[in-house]
Amino acid sequence: MAYRENDTGTTQTKPLPKDTKKKAVNKEDLHAQLEEDLALKQHLELRVERIYDVDPEVQKVALESMRQEVRTSISSMTYVPKLLKFLRPHYRTLKAFYETMLDSDLKESLKYRLLGSECDICSWGHEYVRILAGEISQEYLMRQSEDAPVDDLMELVEQIVAFHMKHNAESEAVDLLMEVDDLDPLTEHVDITNFRKTCLYLTSAARYLPDPDDILFMDTAYSIYLVFYEFASALQIALFLDNLEHVCEVFTSCDDLLMKKQFCYILARQGINFELDDDMVEDDEDRELSQAIINNVKLSEGYLTLARDIEAMEPKCPEDVYKTHLLDGRAIAGANVDTARENLAATFVNAFVNAGFGKDRLMTDLADFSSDGSSGNWLFKNKEHAKISVVASLGMILLWDVNSGLAQIDNYLHSDDNFVIAGALLGVGLVNCSVTNDYDPALALLSEYINKEDSSIQIGAIMGLGIAYAGAQDEQILNSLIAILKHENVPHDVIAFTAISLGLVFVGSSNGEVAQAITDALTGRSVSELGQPLSRLLVLALGLIYLGKQEGMEATSEVSKSFSKKMRNYVDVTLLSCAHAGTGNVLTVQKLLGHCSHLENAETSQGSAVLGIAMVAMAEEIGLEMSIRSLKHFLQYGEQKIRRAVPLALGLLCISNPKVNVMDTLSRLSHDTDLEVAMAAVISLGLIGAGTNNARIAGMLRNLSSFYYNVPGLLFCVRIAQGLVHMGKGLLTLNPYHSNRLLCSPTALAGLVTMLHACLDMKSIILGKYHFVLYYLVLAMKPRMLMTLDKNLEPISVPVRVGEAVDVVGQPGQPKTITGFQTHSTPVLLAAGERAELATEKYVPLSPILEGYVILVENTEYMEDN
């Protein structure tokens, strides 16, 4: 555009002629460029000729000149330098000359590098080093197959790794060392600037490696974190490896008492039984306080602090969840029918919604919530076995508050009704779930009742022990429960719940004595007893002993050969899926997929195999998405047993994580012609929305309550799902994974799996007289919060950014770890897939991951802006 001034003094634009662009090309510049190219070509040809000179000095000058030209030539991913184009006709000449050269310092792809001079490879730049690294991996594999020496290759690897680590290519360095099966050089080249990225890549890559390579990667990351005093990250890896020796080492290596208290919060979230000693925390008072953190003594107090902060303390009644006033007339009419099953459903909804709040409108407040205003005790509106769940719901409402909870439940232990006593005993277990008390009140109380003649009381006490001491590996419980398994004339249902409690107490322990006792109980059952629905819990209990261990179950598998073919298949599949739970092992998933094919005698094990796929694949996001796709294929061509298990598997894969595609699939299945598929889909809608208050799922369930108003079994499932979605008024989660999905709590996963296996026979167990197995979900219930604490462990409110987590593994620079964030003041709620970071640098967190309880210390270098 051209400019000219008009009469008014303003500037106007005048368009240039159309052929201006053509004239812009300067012919003289083009001619000069061609002359330059010709001169460069002649210059290179002269250098090639001089390489054949008899004088070594001339040869050296010629080679050095060409090398400098190659190094300094401009290059990009899409542009080949002219220098290399001009050299191309002479490649064969140069290669032929190389073959005839005498050994000298002039003699350099991999072949020429290995045979050539040993100068610094870094001077040739990143692209050369990258190509060299790729060829090294191929050469290494070839030599390994021929048993040839690799010393010269390893020398090159050392140089390349050093180069990559200096130039922010940590992932490429790890990849190369992975190819040559030697991670040792890595520890020599990490420094304060790159160790975090290196360890992040190691821990992420480990999820896709077979055993034992994954353990090696994790161990290397653990060692690096210890070297650079990143003790909290080292502790998380130690927990991932389930290595208590590493956990002890982290405690003894750290001198900061406040940091050790942060370790205790991480251990408490993982839910493992761990005792501190003098070497870990020297001062008796400090050790007692730290042990109290591990024992979750203050969990109830912190949870209620969160509830008060977001103003969620007001008790809710079932009607607040059902919202029947939003539905049409027939649904309202159906909802007002005061049936036993409707009351039982209301009991569970009330328990889930008010879990941990200590107050509700049915059990702690004796005034009835009904619209007619009459007061009465909710307990007497239920009959027989329903009373077990009603009284036990008090334990759920008073969750984690041991002192207050035991005092209120104790009143029911003096009842003349055995069902009420059984419910009170189960309630004692629920109150003590995830909380360890020095005086063991639950053990003292429940041990008195486990040998009573009434089977309901026995089951209540035994189930209470299993929930209260899950993961504790208590020897006293072991002896008491094994005695019941060995006792003759014990009812089959008591045996089943005894086995499950043993499985929960010794979850992931690989305890041979427990496994043998449960195996003996299985072999001692008659064919008719093994055909009963609760027998699946006996088999599952065996699997829980080896949960996530991948090995050690061979001896138990051998015993299964004495069973009938159907039972043997069921035992093998359950053991396989439990042993590899949370590992992401692709080969195990393939085996389980094979069990879902049309095999003879496989129909009984197919449901367990489908759940097993979800248990194994839930470890990481890619495997999870692929499993969802595979499970959807089952819906199209799978047999009836498989289709009934698919919704439950989807529920486990997306627990407390309402993915839209899974939500739509389950919504479609909730109208399936097979009522058991529909029931499983409805329960799973509750599981994927558990504790999220998801409005879309709540709307779906409300419509389903209208659709199934005259189908009591399905309406009961809808009510349970509604209670789960609003669990803890939106403050709780059932997700067993935490610490950015690195760690999985074994007790939480065990509780979920137990409940889901029971749902494989929904009509006999959940809709029968064993509905209280739904309370096993309490093992997975945890607050989905971030609460920041000061150095005195008192809550402190600081601004934090909460947004969707971004995968930054292997990315250069300092990429943002969250996107689409909003700034809040702590305490805050964290949804699935969300991550938090401090909004200012005023405080430094003692945990690298902002989840649960995080201790903050003041940043001495922080300068507040005016």
Side-chain angles (χ1 to χ4, degrees):
M1 305 291 282
Y3 296 86
R4 65 181 178 84
E5 196 167 272
N6 63 10
D7 298 334
T8 60
T10 58
T11 303
Q12 291 184 339
T13 59
K14 178 183 178 182
L16 292 173
K18 291 183 179 179
D19 60 343
T20 302
K21 289 183 181 179
K22 294 180 183 178
K23 291 181 180 179
V25 178
N26 193 323
K27 291 185 178 180
E28 291 182 5
D29 288 349
L30 185 60
H31 184 69
Q33 185 67 48
L34 289 172
E35 286 185 347
E36 271 184 40
D37 291 351
L38 182 61
L40 176 62
K41 184 177 179 182
Q42 291 171 349
H43 175 75
L44 284 172
E45 287 173 349
L46 181 61
R47 292 288 179 267
V48 172
E49 286 176 19
R50 287 188 175 176
I51 285 174
Y52 285 94
D53 198 290
V54 293
D55 186 352
E57 284 301 317
V58 175
Q59 288 181 352
K60 185 174 181 179
V61 169
L63 278 172
E64 191 60 38
S65 174
M66 276 199 291
R67 187 157 67 173
Q68 283 299 116
E69 291 279 2
V70 171
R71 284 182 186 173
T72 56
S73 62
I74 299 169
S75 180
S76 71
M77 294 293 287
T78 57
Y79 172 70
V80 179
K82 290 179 181 176
L83 183 137
L84 293 179
K85 289 179 181 177
F86 297 151
L87 267 180
R88 187 170 184 178
H90 305 288
Y91 284 171
R92 289 187 179 180
T93 307
L94 292 171
K95 285 166 71 175
F97 171 71
Y98 172 85
E99 301 292 345
T100 61
M101 276 183 75
L102 299 174
D103 289 341
S104 70
D105 62 349
L106 302 179
K107 272 194 148 183
E108 243 180 87
S109 171
L110 179 62
K111 172 183 174 183
Y112 297 106
R113 173 68 209 170
L114 293 173
L115 298 171
S117 60
E118 296 182 0
C119 68
D120 181 20
I121 63 167
C122 306
S123 59
W124 285 94
H126 184 272
E127 192 64 19
Y128 170 74
V129 175
R130 190 183 66 80
I131 292 170
L132 203 58
E135 293 183 358
I136 282 176
S137 61
Q138 296 173 20
E139 179 73 12
Y140 180 83
L141 287 173
M142 190 175 72
R143 291 196 191 181
Q144 285 289 89
S145 63
E146 298 171 357
D147 289 332
V150 292
D151 296 343
D152 53 343
L153 285 180
M154 297 313 292
E155 288 178 16
L156 262 180
V157 168
E158 283 273 0
Q159 293 183 47
I160 294 172
V161 168
F163 176 82
H164 281 324
M165 296 301 285
K166 282 179 186 174
H167 294 84
N168 304 317
E170 300 87 2
S171 55
E172 292 183 33
V174 173
D175 288 343
L176 177 58
L177 292 172
M178 192 194 314
E179 294 290 347
V180 298
D181 300 324
D182 184 14
L183 280 179
D184 293 340
L186 190 64
T187 52
E188 300 169 17
H189 299 289
V190 287
D191 56 36
I192 195 69
T193 63
N194 60 26
F195 80 92
R196 287 190 181 87
K197 281 193 171 183
T198 305
C199 290
L200 180 61
Y201 189 76
L202 284 170
T203 52
S204 301
R207 300 182 185 186
Y208 303 98
L209 293 173
D211 189 50
D213 290 346
D214 56 343
I215 306 298
L216 176 64
F217 267 53
M218 283 295 187
D219 269 327
T220 305
Y222 169 80
S223 304
I224 293 171
Y225 277 135
L226 274 189
V227 169
F228 291 96
Y229 305 109
E230 281 281 322
F231 296 117
S233 298
L235 176 67
Q236 286 165 345
I237 292 179
L239 291 173
F240 178 87
L241 296 170
D242 196 19
N243 190 326
L244 292 184
E245 290 181 6
H246 280 358
V247 174
C248 296
E249 185 182 10
V250 171
F251 269 95
T252 52
S253 302
C254 178
D255 298 324
D256 186 347
L257 179 61
L258 210 53
M259 180 68 81
K260 290 182 179 182
K261 289 177 181 175
Q262 181 65 64
F263 299 164
C264 295
Y265 282 117
I266 296 171
L267 289 171
R269 177 63 181 88
Q270 181 68 355
I272 65 167
N273 189 40
F274 189 77
E275 290 288 332
L276 297 172
D277 60 27
D278 299 353
D279 295 331
M280 299 178 202
V281 182
E282 293 179 2
D283 185 76
D284 290 346
E285 190 176 337
D286 290 332
R287 186 167 61 254
E288 190 177 331
L289 177 60
S290 299
Q291 189 66 55
I293 294 171
I294 295 175
N295 295 346
N296 273 323
V297 172
K298 296 286 185 74
L299 180 58
S300 175
E301 186 181 313
Y303 177 61
L304 293 176
T305 301
L306 169 71
R308 278 190 288 271
D309 190 83
I310 60 175
E311 300 178 352
M313 288 298 292
E314 184 67 25
K316 283 191 173 184
C317 66
E319 177 53 36
D320 295 332
V321 173
Y322 299 162
K323 296 182 179 175
T324 48
H325 61 279
L326 299 176
L327 297 171
D328 57 26
R330 66 172 186 175
I332 295 172
N336 287 334
V337 178
D338 192 16
T339 63
R341 181 161 281 170
E342 188 69 25
N343 287 347
L344 180 60
T347 297
F348 281 110
V349 171
N350 181 66
F352 286 134
V353 171
N354 296 297
F357 283 90
K359 290 191 296 183
D360 75 313
R361 295 189 187 171
L362 299 190
M363 296 300 296
T364 55
D365 182 3
L366 293 180
D368 187 35
F369 76 101
S370 61
S371 56
D372 61 3
S374 63
S375 64
N377 195 325
W378 179 252
L379 175 61
F380 299 113
K381 292 193 174 183
N382 293 272
K383 298 176 182 178
E384 298 181 348
H385 52 78
K387 292 180 181 178
I388 298 176
S389 290
V390 172
V391 180
S393 70
L394 194 57
M396 181 80 87
I397 293 159
L398 297 161
L399 187 61
W400 307 318
D401 186 0
V402 176
N403 294 332
S404 175
L406 291 179
Q408 294 191 48
I409 293 171
D410 184 64
N411 298 327
Y412 294 94
L413 289 171
H414 306 293
S415 170
D416 297 329
D417 191 327
N418 287 339
F419 291 118
V420 172
I421 296 172
L425 295 170
L426 177 53
V428 168
L430 292 172
V431 165
N432 285 273
C433 178
S434 303
V435 180
T436 306
N437 194 297
D438 292 338
Y439 302 107
D440 276 342
L443 182 59
L445 195 60
L446 298 174
S447 295
E448 298 177 17
Y449 293 89
I450 59 174
N451 292 310
K452 294 284 183 182
E453 288 184 9
D454 186 83
S455 62
S456 297
I457 292 178
Q458 266 191 297
I459 289 172
I462 290 165
M463 190 174 165
L465 275 176
I467 290 173
Y469 292 94
Q473 300 184 29
D474 190 287
E475 288 296 322
Q476 192 176 340
I477 295 174
L478 170 66
N479 297 329
S480 301
L481 296 185
I482 282 184
I484 295 172
L485 287 182
K486 291 181 177 178
H487 201 281
E488 293 182 5
N489 302 322
V490 176
H492 183 60
D493 53 358
V494 175
I495 292 288
F497 282 102
T498 304
I500 277 292
S501 288
L502 274 171
L504 291 173
V505 174
F506 290 88
V507 61
S509 66
S510 300
N511 188 302
E513 186 181 355
V514 179
Q516 187 60 49
I518 296 173
T519 305
D520 291 343
L522 261 173
T523 52
R525 300 293 102 192
S526 65
V527 176
S528 61
E529 284 179 323
L530 289 175
Q532 292 180 23
L534 285 177
S535 295
R536 67 176 71 251
L537 297 186
L538 261 171
V539 179
L540 176 62
L542 203 54
L544 293 179
I545 305 298
Y546 302 101
L547 190 72
K549 287 300 175 187
Q550 299 191 55
E551 53 188 26
M553 58 171 187
E554 291 78 13
T556 307
S557 297
E558 283 296 316
V559 177
S560 70
K561 292 181 178 177
S562 60
F563 298 136
S564 66
K565 194 165 185 181
K566 281 187 179 182
M567 197 64 188
R568 183 164 71 246
N569 276 341
Y570 193 81
V571 171
D572 289 344
V573 167
T574 306
L575 277 173
L576 182 69
S577 56
C578 286
H580 291 87
T583 62
N585 190 307
V586 178
L587 295 177
T588 304
V589 172
Q590 287 179 342
K591 285 181 186 176
L592 292 169
L593 286 169
H595 278 282
C596 296
S597 58
H598 305 279
L599 297 175
E600 191 179 351
N601 296 315
E603 58 274 6
T604 54
S605 64
Q606 286 175 335
S608 180
V610 173
L611 279 181
I613 292 169
M615 288 165 65
V616 176
M618 67 190 294
E620 43 81 28
E621 202 63 34
I622 296 174
L624 189 148
E625 293 293 340
M626 291 175 69
S627 298
I628 290 174
R629 195 178 306 168
S630 297
L631 291 170
K632 286 182 178 178
H633 289 319
F634 284 153
L635 293 172
Q636 296 173 0
Y637 62 79
E639 295 170 9
Q640 189 181 50
K641 293 267 185 185
I642 294 174
R643 293 188 79 251
R644 289 175 178 178
V646 166
L648 299 173
L650 290 172
L652 180 59
L653 283 169
C654 300
I655 194 90
S656 290
N657 182 12
K659 289 180 179 254
V660 175
N661 59 332
V662 175
M663 197 190 305
D664 291 341
T665 301
L666 292 175
S667 177
R668 190 174 70 253
L669 291 175
S670 65
H671 294 84
D672 198 90
T673 51
D674 184 341
L675 288 186
E676 291 209 26
V677 173
M679 284 191 283
V682 169
I683 289 288
S684 291
L685 274 173
L687 290 174
I688 68 168
T692 64
N693 282 344
N694 187 283
R696 189 174 175 207
I697 295 179
M700 287 177 182
L701 292 171
R702 207 159 41 241
N703 292 333
L704 285 169
S705 70
S706 170
F707 187 76
Y708 289 123
Y709 78 101
N710 61 351
V711 186
L714 259 159
L715 184 59
F716 178 81
C717 292
V718 171
R719 297 306 188 204
I720 297 300
Q722 286 178 308
L724 288 172
V725 170
H726 298 280
M727 187 176 68
K729 301 172 195 169
L731 308 189
L732 295 173
T733 181
L734 290 180
N735 196 338
Y737 280 90
H738 60 101
S739 300
N740 283 353
R741 287 188 60 82
L742 175 68
L743 298 177
C744 176
S745 171
T747 52
L749 182 58
L752 288 170
V753 171
T754 303
M755 180 265 185
L756 288 169
H757 270 262
C759 288
L760 287 174
D761 205 324
M762 195 86 70
K763 287 183 178 177
S764 303
I765 300 177
I766 306 295
L767 299 180
K769 63 177 184 177
Y770 303 109
H771 36 77
F772 42 80
V773 298
L774 289 169
Y775 286 126
Y776 279 122
L777 288 176
V778 76
L779 290 165
M781 286 186 188
K782 293 290 184 296
R784 58 182 187 97
M785 66 177 182
L786 164 62
M787 182 169 286
T788 46
L789 309 173
D790 62 15
K791 62 182 179 181
N792 299 316
L793 307 187
E794 295 296 326
I796 178 175
S797 184
V798 298
V800 292
R801 290 188 283 261
V802 179
E804 187 179 347
V806 177
D807 187 6
V808 296
V809 178
Q811 291 188 16
Q814 300 293 328
K816 298 291 185 185
T817 56
I818 59 173
T819 184
F821 61 82
Q822 291 183 328
T823 304
H824 304 277
S825 293
T826 55
V828 295
L829 296 177
L830 297 176
E834 284 188 341
R835 190 179 290 164
E837 61 181 32
L838 295 180
T840 69
E841 296 180 359
K842 185 176 181 180
Y843 295 95
V844 177
L846 296 186
S847 171
I849 298 169
L850 300 190
E851 283 180 24
Y853 292 97
V854 177
I855 301 173
L856 304 180
V857 293
E858 287 194 19
N859 184 359
T860 54
E861 299 176 1
Y862 177 72
M863 298 288 290
E864 199 156 347
D865 297 333
N866 292 326

